[in-house]
Amino acid sequence: MRPRLVVASRVAVALVSVFVTALGGAATARADVELRGFGALRALAHDAEPAFRDADGGFGRLDVGDGEESVDAVGELQLAIDWRPSGSFGAFVHALARAEPGDLEGDAVGVVEAYVEGTWSLPRGLVRLQLGHFLLPTSRENIEVAWSSPYSLTSSALNTWIGEEVRLTGASARGVWDLALDDTIGRVDQLELLGAAFGGNDTAGALLAWRGWSLGSRLVVFDEVVPLPPLSTLEPGAGFGEQRDDGTKPFGADIDDQVGWAASAAWRRVDRAEFRVTRYDNRGDLDLHGGLDSSEYAWGTDFWLVGAEAHHGRWDLVAEWMDGETAMGVLPDAKVRAGFRALYGLVSWRGDGWRLTLRRDEFETVERDRSLRGERNDEDGHAWTIAGFWEPLTRPLRLGVEWLRVESTRPGLVDERGPGASLVPEASVDEEILSLELRWYF
């Protein structure tokens, strides 16, 4: 416990120092550069399995966990830098720095998004072109600065996975058109169409198939290697022993020379409602690529994603549904093929400086490969989240508290938990976490 408090105090000092420097620089910056973001300190009281990023390996479904009731502290700084030298052209960078418990693996500093874009006005809309590394605009909950959420501290299982394994390195074109305008109440109906071509997202699906779903708020940065759970099939000489032993790299250089694509269509009534449909296909070639210490499989991953939101008075309703498949390897060699689905719905009430949110998650993966050399990929789980926030109306600060409970059953873990585990018919995870966060926006 004491080392964690030392880490928390050092994080606080570091964040304050960075904030002072950033705010001082912003005050003297040119008018065409906008710096936004937030710093946060979070205390976590949890009763959870060891996290999959634990140095000793684990099968937990949360960002933190050590197999017993304990308390951790984490801190982060999220920066969004928007450079607009002209009305038509600009550049955007989203970077972060974070401090986590020392027994968790992962990059402490990195880039989430970095791209250049051009925007051109049309008689009843606009067209925007992006080139670089960027998130698809799919999430209906992570809608604030630095892909954060006004509704909860922890993302849904669906959007936790998006933040971990789905990001495009390539180009996109987006058009937005006004369909109708009511001058009396200011209502605007809009149509949005988006198309993208990309590479570098070849390993998307590895975490879903080998680890399963998780719930957290941690964004994987560019070129970061994310640990995989300690599965026997990943050991040297086993079915997938040629996979790099330090984990998987979701975002980095392209490894299979295949061009993936994504497209979406959305209708919105501004400030009232939105409905969006997205199709994603990375067109991975399923083969093993790389050198002796960096070999990874290119996963073929595709999915449909449907999202909707509605706002009325002080109430917000948000839901998203995903259905897809991921695969790698070619029979008769080792092969993985799994279907996956996730759904969440939340209701949130906004008061004067207050917000309360209730969210329900459902998620599953389905074994489809029939390979005798790999563990089963089936999983079935759900989670409840209750979150509350208070912030002054001027909003430099926000205080948040959240309780989350996740239950998951993954039979393939039975053989991974040591002697005697095979006597258990199912491997179940039942975890709880209580989070308290102080956030400073700038």
Side-chain angles (χ1 to χ4, degrees):
M1 176 65 183
R2 191 174 301 275
R4 294 188 176 101
L5 293 178
V6 172
V7 170
S9 64
R10 290 177 178 174
V11 169
V13 172
L15 288 175
V16 170
S17 300
V18 173
F19 277 26
V20 171
T21 302
L23 293 175
T28 58
R30 294 174 55 187
D32 56 11
V33 177
E34 181 182 15
L35 175 65
R36 299 178 298 143
F38 62 86
L41 287 173
R42 191 180 299 181
L44 310 169
H46 52 83
D47 182 5
E49 293 275 329
F52 80 98
R53 292 190 300 112
D54 188 276
D56 296 325
F59 299 101
R61 293 290 171 260
L62 301 176
D63 281 344
V64 297
D66 54 14
E68 59 186 24
E69 295 184 11
S70 56
V71 176
D72 280 304
V74 299
E76 65 175 339
L77 174 66
Q78 300 271 358
L79 290 173
I81 305 169
D82 202 356
W83 177 53
R84 300 287 166 178
S86 72
S88 299
F89 296 95
F92 178 83
V93 175
H94 172 193
L96 61 79
R98 55 196 169 204
E100 302 174 286
D103 54 354
L104 296 181
E105 299 179 352
D107 289 357
V109 179
V111 173
V112 179
E113 296 182 275
Y115 57 84
V116 295
E117 69 176 11
T119 304
W120 294 270
S121 297
L122 300 174
R124 294 181 62 88
L126 59 85
V127 172
R128 177 170 297 157
L129 302 181
Q130 287 184 332
L131 180 65
H133 184 62
F134 51 88
L135 285 152
L136 278 170
T138 58
S139 178
R140 308 297 2 114
E141 61 174 344
N142 299 83
I143 56 175
E144 291 200 332
V145 60
W147 213 66
S148 62
S149 171
Y151 305 114
S152 61
L153 298 177
T154 302
S155 294
S156 62
L158 187 157
N159 281 306
T160 296
W161 179 63
I162 293 290
E164 291 175 327
E165 284 203 294
V166 180
R167 208 168 304 155
L168 314 187
T169 302
S172 74
R174 185 192 315 186
V176 180
W177 295 271
D178 293 336
L179 300 178
L181 173 63
D182 188 328
D183 294 328
T184 304
I185 61 175
R187 184 184 70 194
V188 179
D189 288 349
Q190 292 182 330
L191 172 67
E192 176 183 313
L193 300 176
L194 178 146
F198 64 91
N201 202 192
D202 304 310
T203 66
L207 285 176
L208 267 190
W210 277 333
R211 178 207 63 192
W213 296 93
S214 70
L215 290 99
S217 59
R218 189 180 188 278
L219 292 171
V220 173
V221 298
F222 188 81
D223 222 33
E224 179 178 3
V225 177
V226 182
L228 292 168
L231 299 173
S232 58
T233 54
L234 295 175
E235 295 293 328
F240 308 108
E242 293 179 298
Q243 164 75 27
R244 61 189 301 166
D245 59 9
D246 57 346
T248 178
K249 184 187 291 186
F251 314 121
D254 191 90
I255 63 174
D256 67 353
D257 297 326
Q258 297 291 312
V259 177
W261 65 275
S264 71
W267 167 87
R268 71 173 62 90
R269 178 160 293 176
V270 175
D271 297 329
R272 301 290 182 87
E274 179 167 332
F275 180 79
R276 179 181 294 270
V277 178
T278 302
R279 177 65 176 174
Y280 166 100
D281 188 347
N282 72 350
R283 299 182 64 245
D285 70 1
L286 314 187
D287 285 341
L288 184 68
H289 300 269
L292 181 63
D293 297 323
S294 61
S295 293
E296 283 203 73
Y297 293 91
W299 293 71
T301 301
D302 60 81
F303 60 79
W304 287 98
L305 176 56
V306 178
E309 60 181 292
H311 311 281
H312 180 73
R314 295 179 179 269
W315 292 92
D316 302 310
L317 301 174
V318 180
E320 290 186 84
W321 169 84
M322 171 186 285
D323 183 90
E325 183 175 272
T326 187
M328 52 75 83
V330 180
L331 293 175
D333 297 326
K335 180 179 177 63
V336 173
R337 184 184 176 203
F340 57 87
R341 300 183 187 90
L343 168 70
Y344 78 87
L346 68 82
V347 56
S348 188
W349 175 84
R350 292 171 283 121
D352 295 330
W354 293 90
R355 180 184 284 276
L356 298 173
T357 300
L358 174 66
R359 186 183 68 212
R360 169 73 173 188
D361 280 88
E362 299 278 351
F363 51 88
E364 69 171 340
T365 57
V366 181
E367 172 84 4
R368 292 179 178 173
D369 58 59
R370 300 182 181 179
S371 173
L372 299 179
R373 300 176 62 186
E375 68 285 329
R376 291 176 60 185
N377 305 115
D378 297 289
E379 180 179 14
D380 185 27
H382 63 268
W384 284 103
T385 304
I386 301 174
F389 299 96
W390 173 83
E391 61 186 32
L393 296 180
T394 54
R395 201 196 176 177
L397 297 174
R398 188 185 79 171
L399 181 65
V401 61
E402 177 187 88
W403 171 84
L404 184 153
R405 179 172 182 174
V406 55
E407 298 179 49
S408 173
T409 300
R410 190 175 177 90
L413 298 186
V414 170
D415 298 328
E416 307 295 338
R417 287 182 162 175
S422 59
L423 300 177
V424 181
E426 295 181 323
S428 298
V429 172
D430 187 348
E431 303 172 289
E432 290 188 47
I433 185 167
L434 179 66
S435 305
L436 179 65
E437 182 193 78
L438 178 62
R439 181 174 296 191
W440 179 19
Y441 290 92
F442 58 89

